[in-house]
Amino acid sequence: MSVELLDAATIVSFVEDEEAFNVSIRDRFAHLDTDHDGVLSYAEMEEELKCLRVFETHFGIDKKPDPDDLVDVYKSLFVQFDHDSNGAVDLEEFKTETKQMMLAMANGMGFLPLQMVLEEDSFLKKAVEKEATKVGA
């Protein structure tokens, strides 16, 4: 993990750069597709969905979520990705939903940069790295 400055423009720029975004999507999809069948099952996506950190505890004051509630949330997130409701997520569905989520996040951030802790292999970290190469050039 690393602490990075991130703003909406960085996310939008990354998503709109089809080459960079598509490479990142294909790489993540291939990593998640552990049985190499070209689609992601719920079991293959479960850890990725957990990385979204839908429920976080802060300073020990938040109520710990019920494990059954967490399962329901992760399953509903999987359904968001599974556009054709066939029980599996293909590459195009994964790309489309990831793009929508990232653009929604950018829309909610506003124009001021935020300092965020990012996972090393996350799409947000890749967006920051791409932006840094533009600034350094």
Side-chain angles (χ1 to χ4, degrees), residues 2 35 40 53-55 67-68 76 79 97 103 105 108 112 118 134:
S2 63
D35 64 5
L40 302 177
R53 299 177 188 216
V54 175
F55 293 106
D68 292 334
S76 70
V79 168
E97 193 61 30
L103 290 174
M105 187 180 309
L112 295 175
L118 301 178
K134 286 180 13 184

Side-chain angles (χ1 to χ4, degrees), residues 22-32 91 121 126:
N22 288 343
V23 166
S24 294
I25 289 290
R26 282 192 303 270
D27 288 350
R28 179 64 56 84
F29 188 90
H31 172 76
L32 294 173
L91 179 60
D121 197 34
K126 291 180 186 302

Side-chain angles (χ1 to χ4, degrees), residues 37-56:
D37 64 352
V39 294
L40 302 177
S41 66
Y42 174 76
E44 289 172 314
M45 274 193 72
E46 186 175 18
E47 286 305 312
E48 186 77 0
L49 295 172
K50 288 178 181 177
C51 287
L52 296 175
R53 299 177 188 216
V54 175
F55 293 106
E56 289 287 326

Side-chain angles (χ1 to χ4, degrees), residues 65-97:
D66 181 291
D68 292 334
D69 290 343
L70 285 175
V71 170
D72 291 342
V73 168
Y74 296 134
K75 285 185 177 178
S76 70
L77 285 170
F78 181 80
V79 168
Q80 285 294 117
F81 279 85
D82 185 13
H83 296 170
D84 60 8
S85 302
N86 69 349
V89 175
D90 63 32
L91 179 60
E92 193 57 36
E93 290 171 321
F94 185 73
K95 175 183 156 188
T96 300
E97 193 61 30

Side-chain angles (χ1 to χ4, degrees), residues 5-18 20-21 98-110 112-114 116 118 122-131 134:
L5 280 176
L6 183 65
D7 64 4
T10 298
I11 297 171
V12 171
S13 173
F14 176 66
V15 170
E16 288 179 348
D17 181 337
E18 286 193 33
F21 185 69
T98 301
K99 183 176 188 174
Q100 287 178 354
M101 289 174 61
M102 291 188 71
L103 290 174
M105 187 180 309
N107 188 44
M109 289 178 77
L112 295 175
L114 301 173
M116 297 179 72
L118 301 178
S122 70
F123 291 119
L124 293 177
K125 176 71 173 179
K126 291 180 186 302
V128 169
E129 290 169 348
K130 180 185 171 299
E131 189 72 16
K134 286 180 13 184

